[in-house]
Amino acid sequence: MEKEFESSRIVMHISRGCLVVPLHKELLDKELRQVQDNILDRIIETKVKGLVIDVSGINIMDTVMAQNISDTLKMASLLGATAVLTGLKAGVVVSLLDLDFEFQGIRISTTQEEGILELEQLISSKIEQDYWEDER
Amino acid sequence: MVANKRSINISEEIDIILAVKEAMEMAKKAGFNETRQHMIGTAVSELARNIKVYATKGQISIRILKRNKNSGIEIIAEDNGPGIKNLGEAMKENFSTTESLGLGLPSVKRLMDEFTIESKVGEGTKIITRKWA
Ligand SMILES: Nc1ncnc2c1ncn2[C@@H]1O[C@H](COP(=O)(O)OP(=O)(O)O)[C@@H](O)[C@H]1O
Ligand SMILES: [Mg+2]
C-alpha cells in the first residue's frame, strides 16, 4: 500500500500501479457521486494505468448504483486507466439479472487480487505494444 | 428482536437505506436465504427510491406472511404523490420520465413473486408486492 485517500468513508489506495477502491454498503447517492469524482481526480493526478472497483462489501446494488459504477468504470477507461470490477456477490448478481442491468464492455474479476493481477498483465502487454509502435 | 410488521417513512435519502436494512432483517426472519434477502432488499431500494424521487415522501410497510406452512414477505410502497399517468408505460423496460434507466418497476416485478400497482394522477401510488420463501 503506497498511498491512501479517503472520501465519504471510502478509503482508496494504490497497489502495484492500480487505484483500488473498495466500496462498502450503505452509501448515499451523493456520497457515491463524490466517490466517483474522487476516483477520476485520483486517476488524473497519479496517472495510474489501472482501476479496481471492489464491491465485495456491497449487498444491495440497485439500478442507480449499478449505473454509477458502470459510468465510473467507463470514464476511467477514457482517462487511460484500464478498469476492472471485482467482488460481485451472488445476491448482487442475481438481482442484476432481474434488474436487466448489463455491465456491457466491463471487465469483471472474482477477487481484488485477481483483478490487480489481470490489470498488471494487461498494462504490461500494452506498454510492450506501445514500445514496438514507437520503434517503427 | 425483529417485529413481524414495520413501517418506515420515506422522506430523505437515508430512509431508503433504513428501509432496505429493515426489509433484509425481516426477510431473514421469514426464512429467506441470503441471496433472496438481497433480492428483496434491492426491490425495496427501487420502491423507496421512486417514492423519494417522484413523490418526495411516502411509506414503506413490511410484513411477514404465513400461508399454510409457507412464509413470505409483503412490501407495500405507498405515497400521496403525483401518481402515474400511464401505468402500462411505467411498467415497461427503459421507460422513465426522468433521465434514469427506467428499470426500477419492471425489475421489482421480476425480483418479487406477486406485484400489483394502483395509481391515480393527483392522488398517489400504491404498490403491493410479495415474495414467498
Ligand atoms: N411513486 C411514484 N409516483 C409517481 N410516479 C412514479 C412512481 N414510481 C414510478 N413512477 C413513474 O414511473 C416511471 C418508471 O419508474 P421506474 O421503472 O422506477 O424507472 P425510473 O425511476 O428509472 O424512471 C418513472 O419515470 C416515473 O415517471
Ligand atoms: Mg425508479
Side-chain angles (χ1 to χ4, degrees):
Chain A
M1 212 181 275
E2 296 158 22
K3 245 181 181 178
E4 276 193 0
F5 313 92
E6 196 176 332
S7 76
S8 303
R9 295 179 282 136
I10 296 296
V11 181
M12 8 184 142
H13 65 270
I14 294 181
S15 177
R16 284 142 60 194
C18 299
L19 180 64
V20 180
V21 186
L23 290 185
H24 308 293
K25 53 197 159 187
E26 302 180 350
L27 277 180
L28 298 172
D29 287 3
K30 58 172 180 291
E31 292 177 311
L32 200 56
R33 282 194 298 272
Q34 200 188 328
V35 172
Q36 180 180 70
D37 286 348
N38 286 328
I39 291 173
L40 302 178
D41 286 348
R42 288 297 99 76
I43 291 174
I44 293 169
E45 200 179 291
T46 61
K47 302 188 177 65
V48 283
K49 290 285 168 250
L51 166 68
V52 175
I53 296 186
D54 183 48
V55 292
S56 56
I58 301 277
N59 288 327
I60 303 295
M61 193 184 292
D62 71 3
T63 52
V64 170
M65 183 170 207
Q67 180 70 50
N68 174 293
I69 292 176
S70 157
D71 288 349
T72 309
L73 292 165
K74 282 176 192 157
M75 287 191 268
S77 303
L78 292 175
L79 292 174
T82 310
V84 57
L85 179 66
T86 66
L88 283 168
K89 282 194 176 174
V92 172
V93 170
V94 171
S95 298
L96 283 173
L97 270 184
D98 273 339
L99 294 178
D100 224 12
F101 187 88
E102 286 171 45
F103 278 108
Q104 262 166 353
I106 282 165
R107 204 167 272 112
I108 294 180
S109 251
T110 334
T111 62
Q112 218 182 86
E113 176 58 28
E114 264 178 52
I116 295 176
L117 262 177
E118 191 181 334
L119 285 181
E120 278 183 329
Q121 282 160 8
L122 279 167
I123 292 165
S124 66
S125 71
K126 238 189 208 161
I127 290 171
E128 241 162 67
Q129 210 176 343
D130 289 349
Y131 175 79
W132 287 113
E133 271 164 23
D134 286 348
E135 286 288 281
R136 255 182 258 144
Chain B
M1 210 195 81
V2 184
N4 285 326
K5 211 173 160 183
R6 271 281 278 153
S7 205
I8 301 110
N9 287 320
I10 307 291
S11 63
E12 286 176 65
E13 236 194 88
I14 187 86
D15 300 328
I16 302 174
I17 292 173
L18 293 176
V20 168
K21 202 167 160 249
E22 198 69 43
M24 300 255 292
E25 272 169 19
M26 288 182 68
K28 187 176 181 184
K29 191 185 177 194
F32 288 94
N33 69 26
E34 206 178 293
T35 301
R36 287 160 64 80
Q37 288 167 30
H38 294 171
M39 293 169 83
I40 292 162
T42 307
V44 170
S45 185
E46 296 292 346
L47 291 173
R49 193 182 281 291
N50 279 355
I51 291 178
K52 173 78 185 76
V53 174
Y54 303 111
T56 67
K57 60 181 178 12
Q59 224 173 31
I60 297 276
S61 310
I62 310 165
R63 193 159 66 104
I64 293 178
L65 305 170
K66 292 265 179 267
R67 189 174 65 185
N68 304 325
K69 278 185 185 142
N70 209 351
S71 62
I73 197 164
E74 179 184 76
I75 316 283
I76 300 182
E78 217 172 347
D79 65 68
N80 300 313
I84 301 174
K85 223 179 275 169
N86 188 333
L87 274 183
E89 251 179 354
M91 289 305 300
K92 268 194 211 145
E93 299 258 305
N94 299 118
F95 174 85
S96 176
T97 51
T98 57
E99 274 163 27
S100 54
L101 291 174
L103 294 176
L105 290 177
S107 61
V108 171
K109 194 171 174 186
R110 279 191 297 265
L111 286 162
M112 304 291 287
D113 294 332
E114 295 170 27
F115 182 98
T116 55
I117 180 166
E118 289 165 33
S119 191
K120 259 207 185 120
V121 175
E123 285 183 23
T125 303
K126 182 174 183 177
I127 294 165
I128 303 176
T129 178
R130 301 192 184 97
K131 193 174 184 74
W132 296 97

